[in-house]
Amino acid sequence: MQLLNCPLTIFTSQKRFNDRSADDMKCGDLDEYTLKNRYHLGQISNYIDWASYKPSYDHPATRQTPAVSKEKAVSILFDELRGTSWVYSFRGPYKGLIVDMFNHMQNKNGVDFSDIRLNQAYKELIESERSESSVLAGMKFVLD
């Protein structure tokens, strides 16, 4: 067996990790028309329209309701996101992880998210994957 030159790069992602200047890391780079028509993000909330900051349903009782501030709309959307996502992590070792992630997204202004539960989840996923195209299989192939 040959000696390995360390450090050894086994694989890399297509884009640099946490590259804040990457085109897919920019906020506000898509306009309303594109989001609604290309990505079909019309009504995403039961409470508020993300584009107008008014109630999400057009009904005579809500037509005169004034728009809320952008900050209030964001708060409403995150509250709804947390509420509807809770079912995906309400028990087990990752209890509350998704809610912690959403809290971080809302309040940390782009700071990297790190949590030992997320690291453990990815570790278990990588180690349990048995297909020939798995990350672990790729690493073993390179090292053998």
Side-chain angles (χ1 to χ4, degrees):
M1 178 177 182
Q2 290 181 331
L3 292 176
L4 297 176
N5 292 326
C6 293
L8 174 66
T9 301
I10 297 173
F11 65 88
T12 61
S13 62
Q14 292 179 352
K15 295 184 180 178
R16 204 178 82 223
F17 188 69
N18 287 341
D19 181 0
R20 301 281 190 263
S21 64
D23 60 351
D24 61 349
M25 292 289 285
K26 291 184 173 47
C27 177
D29 58 337
L30 299 174
D31 62 15
E32 179 181 344
Y33 180 85
T34 303
L35 291 170
K36 286 184 174 181
N37 293 292
R38 182 173 179 192
Y39 296 107
H40 308 288
L41 295 176
Q43 182 185 340
I44 61 167
S45 169
N46 290 321
Y47 305 106
I48 191 117
D49 180 285
W50 62 268
S52 69
Y53 308 147
K54 291 182 150 207
S56 60
Y57 291 103
D58 182 26
H59 186 274
T62 63
R63 286 189 186 131
Q64 300 304 315
T65 304
V68 298
S69 68
K70 179 179 181 179
E71 292 75 23
K72 180 66 175 172
V74 168
S75 179
I76 292 168
L77 290 168
F78 269 105
D79 286 346
E80 187 175 5
L81 182 62
R82 280 185 286 270
T84 56
S85 302
W86 181 252
V87 69
Y88 298 105
S89 73
F90 65 92
R91 57 181 211 130
Y94 310 117
K95 180 179 179 179
L97 176 60
I98 197 164
V99 172
D100 291 344
M101 291 172 70
F102 294 146
N103 288 340
H104 180 88
M105 287 169 59
Q106 182 179 8
N107 301 313
K108 297 298 182 181
N109 296 321
V111 173
D112 295 340
F113 178 78
S114 179
D115 190 290
I116 194 164
R117 295 170 297 170
L118 186 60
N119 296 346
Q120 183 64 33
Y122 275 116
K123 179 180 184 277
E124 290 174 10
L125 181 67
I126 290 169
E127 290 176 346
S128 67
E129 176 63 48
R130 300 290 179 220
S131 73
E132 291 181 16
S133 62
S134 73
V135 171
L136 196 55
M139 292 168 63
K140 286 180 179 179
F141 176 78
V142 169
L143 293 172
D144 283 345

